[in-house]
Amino acid sequence: MYPTYMGDIYKAVPPAIKRGSAELAVLSLLARESLHGYQIAKQIEQQTGGALRFDAASLYPVLYGMEKRGWVRGEWERAGGRRRRYYSITAEGRKKLEPLRAQWRDFFRALNRLAGVANA
Amino acid sequence: MPDWEQIVTERLGRLRLSPQARREVISELAAHLEDQYSEACAAGCPDPLGETLAQLAGWESLGTRIRQTREDPMSYRQQVSIPGVVALVFSGVSQILVLRGLVSWQRSNHWDYPAQSATLLWLFTFVLAGSVGAAFARRALAGPRRRLLAAIYPSFLMPVIYVVVWVVSRFSSGPGILPLLGLWLTVTVACALGALPWMFGASRSEQPQPPATA
């Protein structure tokens, strides 16, 4: 399970693209501030106007995968009377962010050239 | 307020991670669901519990994906290399003991033991060594594949010895490479046989863990 996007249409998108979009979304948020998992899910939902949503079962495998690759780092902190695992972007993650953005820009440009998505 | 840690523990089921990593995952997911639930309550949702539990749909494969991404990179050493070295040492010591025992027996009893019996005894030391390696790997929370790797660890060293023997034998009338390869395969199978009793059944991490604490 990856982010829900525009209802059922997203189900047809290949997993690699879903995972890539999830990683871009998470890295973009963490480049601004450290957040815990729920805050990441909420901010993605709010900032995409509800078009992109993570549930818990989708979010954490993505976060753990990025942590394993050294793009983000999770640290336990106490907040609101409860321990939370805050994620922050690492130097490696920052290095990865720009190429990821460029890849997605190229991807949408190519899709636009092919299907005229922007003018549809 | 529902006990989210208990709910997550039940939903995740078997999660083959170290106990500490498991507690952390459960604690983190429970905190997420608790936030979700609190927000649903604050928003006046008529069924906050149902809405939050809907997040748990599709968790069937979550445990596997979490295990794949949360595995401690050190765990390979703990689960394969260390048990493998224990098996290797056990194999070496047991072979020395068997050899000394046979020589001593032969001297004191003037008995020529059959070569086949000696070979079987020698192979049995590898079965025992494989069993020791797999048992240690299982104790270190390793999965079946890693248990098997730890079990056949003693046979990893043999190709090195065989290359030396083969190089030396080129200058004498020693065995060729094919018999050595066959011997290596036999030893590997013997080690793997020793792992069989440890390949089945739950590892420690699969047993119920106490719920994570905040």
Side-chain angles (χ1 to χ4, degrees):
Chain A
M1 277 264 274
Y2 287 101
T4 314
Y5 176 66
M6 291 182 172
D8 288 344
I9 296 171
Y10 202 76
K11 287 178 184 167
V13 177
I17 292 183
K18 292 181 198 175
R19 188 173 56 244
S21 65
E23 289 168 353
L24 177 64
V26 171
L27 282 181
S28 301
L29 281 178
L30 295 182
R32 289 179 231 150
E33 58 181 326
S34 296
L35 299 166
H36 60 68
Y38 185 72
Q39 290 174 326
I40 293 172
K42 283 309 290 180
Q43 291 211 14
I44 288 174
E45 188 176 347
Q46 284 166 358
Q47 291 182 26
T48 61
L52 199 58
R53 283 197 307 270
F54 276 106
D55 60 18
S58 314
L59 177 65
Y60 290 97
V62 171
L63 279 174
Y64 296 154
M66 291 168 68
E67 188 175 24
K68 194 175 183 183
R69 276 172 281 168
W71 298 357
V72 301
R73 184 176 47 245
E75 280 175 52
W76 288 97
E77 289 174 29
R78 190 161 281 280
R82 173 156 201 152
R83 283 174 76 229
R84 307 273 174 185
R85 198 150 190 262
Y86 278 83
Y87 291 89
S88 53
I89 192 167
T90 62
E92 189 65 32
R94 282 188 194 281
K95 265 195 276 177
K96 189 72 194 170
L97 184 55
E98 252 335 289
L100 257 180
R101 281 179 174 149
Q103 281 169 16
W104 279 91
R105 263 196 303 270
D106 292 347
F107 175 75
F108 283 116
R109 272 194 207 122
L111 204 59
N112 187 31
R113 276 200 299 275
L114 181 72
V117 174
N119 300 322
Chain B
M1 175 74 75
D3 185 348
W4 292 111
E5 292 191 347
Q6 185 61 39
I7 291 170
V8 171
T9 304
E10 286 165 8
R11 297 273 175 155
L12 275 180
R14 289 165 24 142
L15 190 60
R16 207 172 285 161
L17 290 175
S18 70
Q20 189 194 343
R22 191 175 192 275
R23 273 195 293 274
E24 285 189 351
V25 166
I26 289 170
S27 191
E28 188 169 22
L29 293 175
H32 185 113
L33 295 179
E34 191 179 314
D35 283 340
Q36 183 90 31
Y37 178 77
S38 300
E39 192 187 88
C41 289
C45 175
D47 182 17
L49 185 61
E51 183 162 304
T52 307
L53 287 176
Q55 293 261 323
L56 303 177
W59 276 38
E60 296 81 11
S61 62
L62 180 64
T64 309
R65 284 186 288 138
I66 286 179
R67 181 169 60 81
Q68 285 166 348
T69 51
R70 279 299 300 260
E71 271 186 340
D72 179 3
M74 290 295 287
S75 66
Y76 187 86
R77 195 182 68 182
Q78 291 160 350
Q79 294 179 340
V80 177
S81 304
I82 293 174
V85 168
V86 171
L88 184 67
V89 170
F90 180 91
S91 164
V93 170
S94 59
Q95 281 177 61
I96 289 169
L97 289 178
V98 164
L99 192 66
R100 289 184 70 161
L102 285 174
V103 170
S104 155
W105 178 264
Q106 189 187 25
R107 279 187 187 151
S108 57
N109 296 289
H110 305 288
W111 171 67
D112 262 343
Y113 49 82
Q116 282 172 340
S117 306
T119 307
L120 281 177
L121 197 58
W122 176 71
L123 277 177
F124 187 67
T125 63
F126 284 102
V127 176
L128 285 180
S131 191
V132 167
F136 271 83
R138 184 175 185 268
R139 200 176 155 73
L141 313 173
R145 196 169 57 88
R146 289 189 172 184
R147 291 178 210 172
L148 186 63
L149 270 177
I152 62 172
Y153 209 86
S155 72
F156 292 167
L157 191 65
M158 295 193 72
V160 179
I161 298 168
Y162 289 171
V163 166
V164 174
V165 171
W166 183 65
V167 169
V168 170
S169 72
R170 286 175 69 91
F171 303 101
S172 64
S173 56
I177 194 73
L178 277 180
L180 292 177
L181 188 64
L183 195 60
W184 176 65
L185 281 175
T186 310
V187 165
T188 306
V189 170
C191 291
L193 278 176
L196 272 181
W198 307 103
M199 297 302 284
F200 308 102
S203 64
R204 271 197 311 173
S205 61
E206 291 163 357
Q207 291 165 6
Q209 300 287 334
T213 50

